[in-house]
Amino acid sequence: MKQGRLAIRVAGLSASLAGALALHGAWRSGRRASPWPRRFLARVARIAGARARIVGQPLTRDVMFVANHQSWLDIPLLAGATGTSFVAKAELARTPLVGWLCGLNRTLFIERADRLGIADQVQAIRDALARGQPLAIFPEGTTGDGRALLPFKPALFAALDPAPPGIRVQPVRIDYGPAMADLAWPDGEHGQTNAARVLRRPGRFTATLTFCPPFDPADHPGRKAIAAAARRRIADAAPRDCDTPQPRSC
């Protein structure tokens, strides 16, 4: 039964990808901004069984989303809800198919081990934000088990010190509720193994994305202070505090 469910979902993903690529190509040939990467990613989450529940109001531009990270589903859910691009490690760009798909969603790849190139990486993030396109980071730097919020790495927040004019930081808490144990991507588990395990999972589940009120990074001088402010807001947006789908302070 599990193998059959996996096969059905993989077939659904393949069909959705083929359709989205055809439509994306048509939009791009007409020199129009394509909505299809975002729509495809939202469809990926639904095929995997996720039903997104949005709490709060996400910004649509001039924003850096800062989210906790537990599963690869975080990416299609957040992109589907906001249209955001992501900052990701460069190794992902070299992954067959996945790297190419990330490129379609305007992912910004960085070399974490390239200490000499940090200034260039920070400038690339600043340039992307200055164009108005929403950009998202997962400052824990890895996926967790959903039971605890990991420390935030402040390096990527250097692009906000100082921030391009008009940019806001919007913390986002992603919560899978009772399904978390099945969806978490523990350290050391191979990506394909985790993806197959998630796609074999029966039934549907609710993924709650809590968009906390955005803040001006200039109010928290220094990358460490910005990281701490974002982490505090995500920690405060625990499910017990945001249990109704209404905008609220977190």
Side-chain angles (χ1 to χ4, degrees):
M1 183 62 181
K2 288 185 177 181
Q3 288 301 116
R5 187 180 301 113
L6 174 62
I8 291 170
R9 285 177 168 167
V10 169
L13 290 171
S14 299
S16 295
L17 175 59
L21 287 176
L23 291 165
H24 176 73
W27 252 250
R28 296 300 293 163
S29 64
R31 298 183 182 277
R32 292 180 292 172
S34 173
W36 293 103
R38 173 180 181 174
R39 293 178 181 179
F40 168 69
L41 288 168
R43 183 64 178 161
V44 168
R46 289 186 66 84
I47 289 173
R51 296 298 179 266
R53 175 172 169 263
I54 307 301
V55 177
Q57 184 63 49
L59 295 180
T60 58
R61 58 172 292 123
D62 300 320
V63 58
M64 176 181 278
F65 295 113
V66 179
N68 58 317
H69 199 17
Q70 303 160 104
S71 169
W72 57 269
L73 285 172
D74 301 343
I75 294 172
L77 282 164
L78 191 53
T82 67
T84 187
S85 300
F86 294 86
V87 178
K89 57 185 180 181
E91 300 94 282
L92 199 60
R94 297 186 284 270
T95 304
L97 184 60
V98 173
W100 179 66
L101 290 173
C102 289
L104 291 181
N105 197 50
R106 294 171 290 184
T107 297
L108 185 61
F109 297 106
I110 61 171
E111 291 280 0
R112 293 181 181 177
D114 183 11
R115 300 297 181 185
L116 297 178
I118 288 179
D120 290 338
Q121 294 171 16
V122 168
Q123 188 58 50
I125 295 173
R126 289 177 57 83
D127 291 344
L129 289 170
R131 291 192 292 270
Q133 169 67 25
L135 195 64
I137 63 172
F138 298 109
E140 291 169 292
T142 186
T143 48
D145 60 8
R147 290 177 292 186
L149 188 61
L150 302 177
F152 279 13
K153 300 179 185 302
L156 293 179
F157 291 95
L160 301 175
D161 184 26
I167 295 298
R168 295 294 182 267
V169 175
Q170 186 163 30
V172 186
R173 185 181 183 99
I174 303 174
D175 182 73
Y176 296 100
M180 187 65 256
D182 296 333
L183 303 174
W185 188 349
D187 187 33
E189 183 178 28
H190 193 279
Q192 291 182 348
T193 301
N194 179 268
R197 179 166 59 78
V198 170
L199 292 173
R200 290 191 189 101
R201 185 185 186 278
R204 299 177 180 178
F205 58 91
T206 298
T208 301
L209 280 69
T210 300
F211 289 86
C212 296
F215 67 88
D216 187 342
D219 293 338
H220 304 274
R223 58 181 184 170
K224 292 183 179 180
I226 298 169
R231 188 181 187 278
R232 183 170 60 253
R233 287 162 171 76
I234 292 174
D236 289 346
R240 63 180 181 276
D241 297 323
C242 299
D243 57 359
T244 56
Q246 302 293 329
R248 57 177 297 153
S249 296
C250 298

